[in-house]
Amino acid sequence: MNKKILVFVLSFAIFIGMNTNNAYASTNNDSVEEDNLKETPNNVNLEKGEINKNIPLAKTQIRKISDDPNYLKKQKFNFFGNTITPFGAGQWDYIGEDTFKSQSKIFHSGGGDLMIYIEQPYGGLLGSKWWYKLYEKSPTWESVVSSFYLENEAGAYEVVFDVRDWVDGDNKKAELYLSKLFYPTESVYTIWLD
């Protein structure tokens, strides 16, 4: 093959490759972290035929509050009496509790911040981290609100989510449930606050 033709073909291939990368970069200018893009939901409202913008996963804050796997159950009376004022402005409101192995029942949030206390046992010596996903359930789709891991340690955790982008529907509420993806034989106890 002639050297001039080979140089032309290689130059053309590099030129095409550079333009393809630039085109991709210009269409992907979101400020969302790359990890969040992997599980960013593409919400489709089938009733109205609308495609809503992609909503990044909710910001999630996690704090371990006790090594005791029965802490929440033991402290329930004191816990609620000292920290929660029902329906107070700027206060945490109790919206329910649930014990489950794979999926919690649905809780309704008015938006803003949502707090879930999770009490889990130790998963065993060979166990990996506990993987949870918070979902928003609408009549026509389910969306991942947050995906997070807790250490394979017994104890109680406080997990706070920003769910203001997930409020929808006629009731202006987010219908949320928690799913546990590992340890299907182990139950976890949760308390939900809005």
Side-chain angles (χ1 to χ4, degrees), residues 63-76 117-122 153-158 187-189 191:
R63 180 174 70 101
K64 187 168 187 181
I65 58 174
S66 175
D67 290 329
D68 182 353
N70 295 306
Y71 174 79
L72 296 176
K73 292 176 193 132
K74 290 177 185 174
Q75 297 296 321
K76 191 171 172 182
Y117 284 101
I118 301 171
E119 193 170 76
Q120 69 184 28
Y122 174 59
E153 300 172 353
Y157 295 83
E158 174 186 278
S187 293
V188 295
Y189 172 63
I191 299 173

Side-chain angles (χ1 to χ4, degrees), residues 13-71:
I14 291 170
F15 175 76
I16 294 295
M18 287 173 42
N19 283 342
T20 302
N21 288 339
N22 288 340
Y24 176 76
S26 67
T27 60
N28 202 10
N29 277 339
D30 296 342
S31 61
V32 179
E33 295 175 15
E34 188 176 347
D35 288 342
N36 284 349
L37 288 175
K38 292 177 186 169
E39 298 203 47
T40 300
N42 186 10
N43 294 331
V44 178
N45 186 336
L46 298 177
E47 293 175 356
K48 296 182 181 179
E50 295 176 343
I51 298 176
N52 299 331
K53 68 174 188 157
N54 285 339
I55 302 172
L57 295 180
K59 292 181 181 173
T60 306
Q61 299 172 350
I62 300 170
R63 180 174 70 101
K64 187 168 187 181
I65 58 174
S66 175
D67 290 329
D68 182 353
N70 295 306
Y71 174 79

Side-chain angles (χ1 to χ4, degrees), residues 88-142:
Q91 301 291 327
W92 289 108
D93 300 324
Y94 171 83
I95 56 175
E97 57 193 86
D98 193 22
T99 301
F100 64 94
K101 289 186 177 181
S102 62
Q103 180 179 311
S104 74
K105 64 184 182 181
I106 294 176
F107 293 90
H108 299 274
S109 170
D113 288 334
L114 171 79
M115 183 186 300
I116 304 175
Y117 284 101
I118 301 171
E119 193 170 76
Q120 69 184 28
Y122 174 59
L125 289 175
L126 299 176
S128 60
K129 292 183 178 184
W130 292 63
W131 185 15
Y132 294 91
K133 285 190 177 185
L134 180 67
Y135 287 91
E136 201 276 329
K137 182 173 179 57
S138 295
T140 54
W141 73 83
E142 290 183 352

